Amino acid sequence: MRSRQLLLAVLVTIFAILGSAVLVHAQDQITVGFAQTGSESGWRTAFTEAMIAEAESQNINLIFSDGQQKQENQIAALRSFIAQGVDAIILAPLVETGWDEVFQEAQDAGIPVFIIDRNVTADPSLYVTRIASDFVYEGRLAAAWLATATANREQCNIVELYGTVGSSAAIDRATGFAETIALFPNLELVASQSGDFTRTGGKEVMESFLNSLDPASICAVFGHNDDMLIGAIEAMKEAGIDPADDILTVSVDAIDDIFVSMMNGDANATVLLSPNMGVQAYAAIRSYLAGETLPALIPVPSAMYFQDTAAEEYAARTGG
Amino acid sequence: MPENKTHTEVNDVAPRFNLIQSLHRNRRLLFPVVALILILIGDRIIQPNFFNIRVVDGRLVGSLIDILNRGTPTVLLAVGMTLVIATKGIDLSVGAVIAICGAVAAVLISTTTLPPLIVILISIAAGMLCGLWNGILVAYMGIQPIVATLILMVIGRGIAQLITNGQIATFSNPTLEFVGKGVLLGFPFPIFLSLIVFGLVWLLVRRTAIGLLVESVGANDRASFFAGIDAARFKVFVYVISGVCAALAGLIVTADIKGADANNAGLWLELDAVLAVVIGGTALTGGRFFLGTSVIGAFIIQAIQTGIFVSGLPPTFNLIVQAVVILAILFLQSEELRRLFVRIFTSLRKPA
């Protein structure tokens, strides 16, 4: 008897909490200030658009500020958010340093700060958490696919199209990739050069690889982004090599154009660098405001795309 | 008869003497050539198959071809930049002009039904317009060249982004693609394009009085003005030439990847062009200019770049290697440094 009563009590409590949570969800519109770096790349634009669209669908009042590649603009935006008394602040920092003072001001005003995308060096007690893609994981994922695809080959020589030297995306993707191929004795990185994340750079570097190495000895190419790989595809075609068949390809970003290459049979695989971090960011804000504690880093899930679903995905993205 | 013989003897000796004398007089101009040969030998030592050239589908493929082909945008910019620098000016906007002209061509070819040749002409006209803008700011508004062209350098990429809507504007058109990746007689087409442009500009400045007048404007534009030269018009002229060269470079880099990348096309290439001109022996203070060695300068920069790519060095060393090699070349050219070495050498020999 007692146990049944207890169960009933527990169930009632659960329903009460759930009910109020749903009620809160439906009624409480929260106001969030979002300070973006600027709009320097197509990926960044997609990131901004996804943040705004996700806020609308979640009934969040999003105040957006474009920093135009200037930290002082971003700091001014943060101060304006504090003055407006927003419920939470999301910052996509342009640079890592120089945020402590304004974060302190936000903390004094009782407004939580969430970091999205790039990192900051500020005292971790001054902000709640960071929502970001895991570049190391992306490198690992690319290598893991390559290991599977070449499992029955005795030796696979890989060339790498390195991103901009010194960028965290390039460093981490190279690290994740290198540590994973080290687990497979048949995989070997034979050359790596910087193509600066551009198509022209990727094409030029691939041309030089095809000249300095025996093209028949290259088994796969890993591009730190899709643009460089699209350039490399051009270089391979001009050298009489069939990309994706003679030389396997894998790259990161999952931009629209790489799906066209996959549909044409010129590229094998791409790792998604999701520009849609809004889901994780807004979920984190809601759970923080509900009093939950959050981990220091909330990763945005990566995924891989292959030739078989390329046409479908491309049509979905371009609204086809 | 004996007189006649002496005459031929003199004739025989004279040209040889002239050659040596002119080599001695223009020894500054020899340095770029020597530097290029040294770098190529260095590349060959690092990568034994550097000089290998094979034929794939009727086109020549090899590192040397890559240097010629990949060097063409910088060569074209260096040709225009040499004339601008000769008038004591500088054109920092060429990288942005590349982005604008590439964007114009890519967007027009993919969204309109204009014939490719018209699209190419419109793109070149856009380059002329950019040059005209720079020239008018410098010559008629009296704005310092570095500031005047900086304006277009900054807003130019914004304009290109507006044209392409912030995306990489891709296209598929065989005629336009040919400009960047076509093959003629086994060689990539851009090599011919840069040769033609270099030839035309050389004829224009060296076979007419224009070159001399440009040098005169650069050496002293006030004196030139009083001598009856319309200095302002010549300044506008050289910026327009620079704009056209940048437009052609823009067409090449855009056609090469079948897409206009407003953010990255020609990024920092203006600095490579200035460096090529300086390595070629033209002084930033204007006056005498050397078109041929500017081109050699551009190939030096590309030979270093291609050499690094095939060297197998980790990418993190790229910029340092580049800087060290270029510093060495500039040291080689420095008269002061050479005199210092001679002094040290003679003072070491004296006690012995």
Side-chain angles (χ1 to χ4, degrees):
Chain A
M1 271 305 160
R2 267 188 83 88
S3 64
R4 191 167 290 178
Q5 270 176 343
L6 192 68
L7 188 68
L8 199 69
V10 167
L11 277 177
V12 166
T13 322
I14 288 174
F15 277 116
I17 291 172
L18 275 180
S20 63
V22 167
L23 224 61
V24 165
H25 193 90
Q27 285 176 348
D28 269 20
Q29 195 196 36
I30 56 171
T31 301
V32 175
F34 172 38
Q36 177 63 284
T37 57
S39 51
E40 78 279 4
S41 65
W43 184 84
R44 184 69 59 180
T45 317
F47 171 20
T48 304
E49 282 166 6
M51 287 294 287
I52 294 169
E54 189 65 33
E56 268 169 26
S57 76
Q58 291 204 19
N59 193 26
I60 285 170
N61 179 25
L62 190 74
I63 308 172
F64 174 71
S65 163
D66 185 322
Q68 295 179 341
Q69 305 296 322
K70 285 202 175 77
Q71 187 180 24
E72 53 267 38
N73 289 351
Q74 289 200 297
I75 290 174
L78 257 53
R79 294 217 164 105
S80 138
F81 294 152
I82 296 167
Q84 293 175 56
V86 296
D87 296 307
I89 291 172
I90 302 175
L91 169 69
L94 181 70
V95 290
E96 294 197 344
T97 53
W99 299 105
D100 297 67
E101 199 184 321
V102 69
F103 283 3
Q104 187 64 55
E105 288 168 29
Q107 197 168 57
D108 293 345
I111 299 170
V113 176
F114 296 78
I115 312 294
I116 198 159
D117 190 34
R118 294 177 192 162
N119 209 349
V120 292
T121 55
D123 185 347
S125 69
L126 292 176
Y127 59 92
V128 180
T129 179
R130 172 170 170 237
I131 300 106
S133 295
D134 188 343
F135 297 139
V136 177
Y137 178 74
E138 289 160 8
R140 286 184 192 142
L141 210 54
W145 172 77
L146 215 48
T148 323
T150 60
N152 48 12
R153 297 194 198 184
E154 250 174 49
Q155 171 76 14
C156 179
N157 294 330
I158 304 161
V159 295
E160 180 180 46
L161 307 170
Y162 200 94
T164 301
V165 174
S167 68
S168 54
I171 294 168
D172 290 353
R173 281 171 195 163
T175 308
F177 189 79
E179 67 185 31
T180 307
I181 62 167
L183 305 173
F184 300 91
N186 64 333
L187 300 182
E188 189 189 347
L189 191 63
V190 291
S192 171
Q193 269 302 332
S194 170
D196 268 329
F197 285 130
T198 69
R199 293 191 186 190
T200 307
K203 186 172 179 185
E204 189 177 354
V205 168
M206 195 66 198
E207 271 176 2
S208 72
F209 286 159
L210 295 174
N211 285 331
S212 60
L213 308 165
D214 173 16
S217 75
I218 303 172
C219 138
V221 51
F222 168 48
H224 282 187
N225 77 346
D226 289 339
D227 280 321
M228 286 193 292
L229 194 85
I230 289 170
I233 288 171
E234 288 292 315
M236 286 186 267
K237 282 183 174 171
E238 284 172 19
I241 291 159
D242 186 1
D245 290 317
D246 295 342
I247 296 180
L248 297 172
T249 82
V250 59
S251 51
V252 188
D253 269 5
I255 62 169
D256 292 351
D257 283 348
I258 196 75
F259 288 99
V260 178
S261 298
M262 287 200 281
M263 281 151 66
N264 296 338
D266 293 335
N268 293 110
T270 183
V271 179
L272 174 72
L273 169 66
S274 175
N276 188 5
M277 296 191 254
V279 182
Q280 278 80 18
Y282 300 134
I285 290 173
R286 286 196 193 281
S287 22
Y288 178 80
L289 293 178
E292 287 174 35
T293 47
L294 296 168
L297 176 73
I298 300 173
V300 178
S302 295
M304 284 196 86
Y305 290 100
F306 305 100
Q307 286 179 349
D308 52 352
T309 58
E312 200 180 307
E313 176 67 19
Y314 185 72
R317 283 177 175 224
T318 50
Chain B
M1 273 308 259
E3 274 169 22
N4 207 351
K5 202 185 171 217
T6 351
H7 191 71
T8 29
E9 264 178 17
V10 171
N11 258 357
D12 270 347
V13 173
R16 214 183 316 153
F17 178 65
N18 271 349
L19 181 72
I20 293 165
Q21 198 180 40
S22 82
L23 276 183
H24 185 70
R25 204 170 45 228
N26 295 323
R27 63 187 190 283
R28 277 183 64 115
L29 303 185
L30 267 178
F31 286 123
V33 180
V34 173
L36 180 59
I37 292 170
L38 285 179
I39 288 167
L40 289 176
I41 292 172
D43 288 340
R44 170 67 174 74
I45 293 168
I46 293 165
Q47 179 55 246
N49 60 11
F50 196 80
F51 290 168
N52 291 8
I53 290 174
R54 57 211 158 80
V55 181
V56 179
D57 303 335
R59 63 182 294 157
L60 300 168
V61 175
S63 296
L64 288 179
I65 304 290
D66 278 358
I67 293 175
L68 285 176
N69 187 24
R70 293 281 151 214
T72 48
T74 316
V75 166
L76 286 168
L77 295 186
V79 167
M81 191 70 79
T82 307
L83 297 186
V84 172
I85 287 178
T87 66
K88 212 189 269 186
I90 195 160
D91 189 351
L92 293 183
S93 71
V94 285
V97 175
I98 284 182
I100 293 175
C101 296
V104 166
V107 169
L108 282 182
I109 206 87
S110 57
T111 59
T112 68
T113 53
L114 288 172
L117 279 177
I118 300 293
V119 169
I120 289 170
L121 287 178
I122 293 175
S123 171
I124 293 171
M128 288 178 88
L129 207 65
C130 293
L132 199 63
W133 161 264
N134 283 332
I136 288 171
L137 286 187
V138 171
Y140 293 104
M141 308 286 159
I143 300 174
Q144 288 284 322
I146 198 165
V147 178
T149 55
L150 194 66
I151 296 169
L152 191 56
M153 177 187 175
V154 175
I155 63 166
R157 277 192 196 278
I159 294 171
Q161 279 165 0
L162 276 180
I163 297 171
T164 60
N165 221 349
Q167 308 290 322
I168 296 181
T170 52
F171 59 86
S172 175
N173 180 288
T175 315
L176 187 54
E177 283 168 33
F178 187 84
V179 177
K181 37 190 271 175
V183 179
L184 198 65
L185 307 170
F187 287 94
F189 178 70
I191 297 175
F192 293 97
L193 191 62
S194 61
L195 247 161
I196 291 167
V197 170
F198 171 75
L200 286 178
V201 172
W202 190 85
L203 283 176
L204 192 66
V205 298
R206 292 303 186 208
R207 283 289 167 263
T208 68
I210 291 174
L212 191 69
L213 297 175
V214 164
E215 289 185 344
S216 143
V217 168
N220 191 334
D221 64 342
R222 212 165 162 71
S224 309
F225 178 76
F226 287 129
I229 299 167
D230 188 350
R233 219 169 55 190
F234 277 102
K235 284 186 185 169
V236 173
F237 168 76
V238 294
Y239 283 97
V240 169
I241 294 275
S242 179
V244 171
C245 288
L248 292 171
L251 285 169
I252 290 175
V253 299
T254 304
D256 183 42
I257 57 167
K258 298 193 281 183
D261 186 346
N263 283 308
N264 299 307
L267 194 61
W268 309 128
L269 223 52
E270 59 277 346
L271 300 182
D272 279 0
V274 172
L275 185 63
V277 173
V278 170
I279 291 176
T282 304
L284 288 176
T285 45
R288 282 193 76 188
F289 66 88
F290 310 99
L291 215 48
T293 45
S294 292
V295 172
I296 303 285
F299 284 130
I300 286 177
I301 296 171
Q302 191 57 46
I304 298 170
Q305 181 74 64
T306 306
I308 290 171
F309 281 152
V310 300
S311 66
L313 271 177
T316 32
F317 285 98
N318 287 6
L319 297 174
I320 293 172
V321 173
Q322 238 167 335
V324 168
V325 175
I326 285 168
L327 201 61
I329 296 169
L330 295 177
F331 278 167
L332 209 75
Q333 284 179 319
S334 159
E335 295 274 353
E336 281 76 10
L337 210 68
R338 217 169 19 242
R339 246 179 267 139
L340 185 74
F341 275 126
V342 171
R343 236 191 356 251
I344 292 170
F345 190 65
T346 41
S347 67
L348 282 177
R349 273 181 53 176
K350 253 177 210 159

